[in-house]
Amino acid sequence: MKGLFNHHHFRDSVRLSGVNSINWARIVAQVVYYFTAAVALGAPHRKIAFTVPTGNFGDVFAGYVARRMGCRWSGSLSRPTSTIFSCAP
C-alpha cells in the first residue's frame, strides 16, 4: 500500500484514497452488521439511527456503503458530537 500511495502520478490519476479500515473484508462484514441491525430494529418501518464512536471512519464508511446498497433506515448515521450525513428515506 505504501508503494501505491508513494507513486504520486498513479495515486493522483486514479484518485487513490485510504481509510483506517483498509481491509475490505472488514468493511464488508460491517456492512452486514448495518443490514442485520436495521432489520432487527424494524427498519424501514420504524425510525432508527446509528451512532458511531469518533475515530471509526471504517464503520461510518460501511454505513455509507450499506445505505448505497439499499439498506433503508429513516434516521441518521452520526458521531456522538455531530451528524455525518442524513439518511432520509
Side-chain angles (χ1 to χ4, degrees):
M1 292 307 302
K2 285 183 180 181
L4 291 174
F5 281 101
N6 287 332
H7 191 286
H8 300 284
H9 176 71
F10 172 76
R11 180 197 66 202
D12 296 343
S13 68
V14 298
R15 297 176 17 183
L16 186 65
S17 63
V19 297
N20 63 355
S21 295
I22 207 155
N23 181 338
W24 281 101
R26 185 174 175 187
I27 298 289
V28 170
Q30 291 170 330
V31 168
V32 172
Y33 297 154
Y34 279 97
F35 276 95
T36 302
V39 171
L41 293 169
H45 306 296
R46 178 178 176 210
K47 186 174 181 171
I48 63 169
F50 292 105
T51 300
V52 178
T54 302
N56 287 346
F57 180 76
D59 199 8
V60 171
F61 181 67
Y64 169 78
V65 170
R67 187 75 176 152
R68 296 288 304 226
M69 290 177 65
C71 186
R72 298 290 176 237
W73 64 84
S74 56
S76 63
L77 176 64
S78 64
R79 296 182 310 164
T81 55
S82 65
T83 298
I84 300 299
F85 61 86
S86 177
C87 299

